[in-house]
Amino acid sequence: MKKPLLQSVLVLLLALVAGSAVAQITPKAYAPENLRTLSVQDQTRVISLEYSEQSRGRRIPDDQLRFYLDQVNRSNWTFSRIKQDIAQSLGGGNGGWNPNPPSNGNTILCESKSGDARRCTPPWRGQSRLVRQLSNSRCEEGATWSSQDGLITVWKGCRGEFAQGNATGGTIRCESNDGRGRTCRTPWSGHSRLTRQLSNAACVEGRSWQSQRGQVYVGNGCRAEFAPRVGSGGGSSNYSVTCSSEDNRRKTCAYDPRQGRPILLQQISNTSCREGYSWGYTGTQVWVDRGCRGRFGPR
């Protein structure tokens, strides 16, 4: 009676030791919620470990890992969000991860891998617009991506997040890269106005950008976002305030807050007007600095 009991105890001890060894071989993917506090190498490690744990030892696909790294560093996805998405990809009815999912109910991811052309079918009809570039390769409409009715095409390494084009409002981005001129079609039929300058190079209407009905032209390095011009398919208010920073000094100008939060309607100076850097809004005043001269008004 004693010998079988001793053998049972030894078997139990061996099992406990083996379990401990396995736990040491396969570490848990503990990580902070904000993965951006980690290096890319550590982000890769914890995401790969989490996938391995949930999939019982499988290796995460390269495109899925790349997608998660993009979402962490560009869209501030948390570790919990990634864990949830991994669980859905492993247990979803589609049998695996969908490399072309909507990031929310209104956008879709479309990627050109290895420079090859890729066509994606969005869940809406009509034109699409780029809302976020995810690749290091440039996403430029007409050069690396295009939109037709019910179809998005990307190539030359462009990976981006796209949304439905807005035929009545919203904004579009038009960029003069490497100083070259470019014409962008607008989803509205009237003239356009500059709403946000994205480049260090000055965007001056009549010099580095101009508007025609249904299109915007940019040149000389101007990169900016544009919206329908007031009274031309856009809003109805004609209220605006012109404010000028003379001799690069800070200047404040009264602004009626009842009109709504101001945006840059037109840059008048050669010096760049960038919100938060050379102009801003304090509730009842618009301020300009560093040589910015512009016309401000409601969106």
Side-chain angles (χ1 to χ4, degrees), residues 184-198:
C184 303
R185 293 190 303 272
T186 62
W188 49 85
S189 59
H191 286 278
S192 304
R193 57 187 172 88
L194 187 149
T195 60
R196 184 161 69 103
Q197 180 173 310
L198 305 173

Side-chain angles (χ1 to χ4, degrees), residues 74-207:
R74 297 178 183 271
S75 302
N76 295 320
W77 273 31
T78 63
F79 188 48
S80 295
R81 176 83 179 272
I82 290 176
K83 290 170 65 176
Q84 180 183 10
D85 195 85
I86 289 175
Q88 291 175 347
S89 73
L90 293 172
N94 61 0
W97 181 67
N98 177 7
N100 189 30
S103 62
N104 56 49
N106 302 313
T107 63
I108 187 173
L109 183 70
C110 196
E111 297 181 295
S112 164
K113 299 174 182 178
S114 303
D116 298 332
R118 171 81 186 279
R119 291 178 174 84
C120 305
T121 303
W124 55 78
R125 296 180 179 273
Q127 298 294 315
S128 303
R129 57 188 172 88
L130 178 71
V131 294
R132 182 180 294 111
Q133 178 176 307
L134 302 174
S135 57
N136 291 325
S137 301
R138 186 178 66 202
C139 289
E140 179 180 345
E141 187 174 8
T144 58
W145 75 271
S146 65
S147 169
Q148 298 176 350
D149 192 9
L151 187 67
I152 300 168
T153 305
V154 292
W155 64 95
K156 292 185 179 178
C158 168
R159 296 187 295 113
E161 189 176 354
F162 297 85
Q164 185 174 13
N166 192 334
T168 59
T171 63
I172 65 160
R173 178 179 296 190
C174 197
E175 299 178 294
S176 164
N177 294 298
D178 301 324
R180 295 175 296 177
R182 185 183 172 206
T183 299
C184 303
R185 293 190 303 272
T186 62
W188 49 85
S189 59
H191 286 278
S192 304
R193 57 187 172 88
L194 187 149
T195 60
R196 184 161 69 103
Q197 180 173 310
L198 305 173
S199 57
N200 290 324
C203 291
V204 182
E205 188 171 8
R207 295 186 182 179

Side-chain angles (χ1 to χ4, degrees), residues 81 123 215 226 263:
R81 176 83 179 272
Q215 64 184 29
F226 299 87
I263 60 172

